[in-house]
Amino acid sequence: MIKITRRIGLAALVLIGSLQSASQAQGLFDPVISVNRAAITAYELEQRELFLEILQRSSGMAQRARDSLIEDRLKMAAADRAGIKLSGAQLLSAMEDFAANANLDLDQLLETLAQSGVDEQTYRDFIMVGVTWRELIRARFAARSAPSETEIDRALASAGAQGGVKVLLTEIVLPAGSAEDLNIARQTVERLGRISSTAEFSEQARLLSVAQSRVNGGRLEWANLSDLPDGLRPIISGLRPGQITNPLEVPNAVVLFQLRDVAETTSQSPKISTIEYAH
């Protein structure tokens, strides 16, 4: 991936996951993080930290709690764009399955969590994101073939540090250094976002983009999904070939990415840690 794309991606990540320090005067349910206008509260952070400490049998999970909640918001936004939504029965079944893996029924697990200060909604949200994300990955591959569980697991692992999926992207970077430029860019991306043809999007990149990739019609080379910035990974994973991201407003620019193709690569099997709960 060329140099300007890395700079843009990192800037987008900072923007998407803009963290604001919570002052002592803040209430527990005041927003402390904003992800694409979706708020994360101090209470959610506290709850996720407690929950992760139980799962990992370790303390000091504050940063991981922040990172996981930010990623959850991005994953759910991608699922919403793809029209993926769990039924109540699907969610309940997944909650029961997770409990069963710990040799507990659902009521026993919820009681164990409650004793540690973790409420049911925290557990419910955690399971909902995981299963919804799995359904999105399944839907993304469904257009290409009937995916096996192993293929789905490999694609899920690619959202972390293992790799396993590579993507072909086309980028358009519009200048937004002034208020006037930003307004023009916002109007332009509305039109560009309706494009379904990869050839047309590439032609617009050639005409409008200020990135060096414009000479290639904005077309970037194959990139491992795991090599993309953390904040962009769930966004790109939620696309099917031909689809375009929502505009990413970064310092002095507005960026769009179109997914041209996706393919699997050989990767190591993800390591799975056994989760145990105190009875």
Side-chain angles (χ1 to χ4, degrees):
M1 190 173 293
I2 61 177
K3 189 174 181 181
I4 190 169
T5 302
R6 290 175 180 159
R7 293 202 303 268
I8 290 297
L10 291 173
L13 174 58
V14 172
L15 179 71
I16 293 168
S18 57
L19 276 66
Q20 300 176 354
S21 298
S23 68
Q24 293 181 350
Q26 273 187 311
L28 200 55
F29 293 97
D30 287 342
V32 293
I33 302 174
S34 178
V35 184
N36 282 352
R37 299 183 181 179
I40 297 173
T41 67
Y43 181 71
E44 287 179 283
L45 280 172
E46 178 184 281
Q47 283 283 300
R48 179 57 64 90
E49 183 177 357
L50 286 172
F51 184 59
L52 291 178
E53 286 177 351
I54 293 172
L55 294 185
Q56 302 296 326
R57 288 185 171 272
S58 176
S59 59
M61 291 287 172
Q63 185 59 50
R64 184 166 178 182
R66 287 180 172 86
D67 293 343
S68 66
L69 283 170
I70 290 170
E71 186 168 319
D72 283 359
R73 292 298 192 271
L74 292 168
K75 287 180 175 179
M76 292 305 293
D80 286 342
R81 290 196 299 273
I84 305 295
K85 187 174 182 179
L86 295 185
S87 68
Q90 283 178 300
L91 178 57
L92 178 60
S93 177
M95 292 171 66
E96 291 173 339
D97 288 345
F98 190 91
N101 288 335
N103 297 317
L104 298 171
D105 63 32
L106 181 56
D107 288 339
Q108 288 174 324
L109 176 58
L110 293 177
E111 182 180 352
T112 299
L113 293 175
Q115 290 171 357
S116 299
V118 178
D119 64 33
E120 179 178 344
Q121 189 61 48
T122 297
Y123 173 66
R124 182 183 298 273
D125 291 345
F126 178 83
I127 297 298
M128 179 177 66
V129 173
V131 179
T132 300
W133 186 242
R134 188 178 187 86
E135 290 301 311
L136 188 149
I137 295 296
R138 188 191 301 274
R140 191 188 68 184
F141 277 90
R144 300 171 60 86
S145 62
S148 67
E149 290 301 310
T150 300
E151 290 171 329
I152 293 172
D153 287 339
R154 188 179 299 129
L156 287 166
S158 72
Q162 293 296 327
V165 171
K166 59 181 181 178
V167 293
L168 268 181
L169 299 173
T170 301
E171 67 175 356
I172 295 180
V173 181
L174 302 176
S178 67
E180 182 180 359
D181 287 342
L182 179 58
N183 287 332
I184 294 173
R186 285 172 173 170
Q187 294 173 17
T188 303
V189 295
E190 281 190 28
R191 174 177 61 82
L192 296 176
R194 294 192 291 269
I195 294 175
S196 57
S197 163
T198 56
E200 183 180 354
F201 191 84
S202 183
E203 180 60 25
Q204 291 299 308
R206 195 184 308 276
L207 294 173
L208 302 174
S209 182
V210 296
Q212 293 176 351
S213 60
R214 68 183 182 276
V215 298
N216 298 320
R219 295 185 181 93
L220 305 177
E221 297 179 356
W222 282 104
N224 289 326
L225 187 62
S226 59
D227 291 338
L228 298 181
D230 291 346
L232 288 178
R233 223 176 283 151
I235 296 174
I236 301 302
S237 293
L239 300 179
R240 291 185 181 181
Q243 290 185 325
I244 299 168
T245 63
N246 288 333
L248 304 174
E249 295 188 5
V250 301
N252 300 318
V254 178
V255 187
L256 289 175
F257 292 99
Q258 184 184 50
L259 180 65
R260 302 201 315 273
D261 200 1
V262 60
E264 289 187 81
T265 60
T266 302
S267 64
Q268 296 177 345
S269 298
K271 295 180 181 179
I272 301 175
S273 300
T274 301
I275 299 172
E276 298 179 354
Y277 293 90
H279 289 71

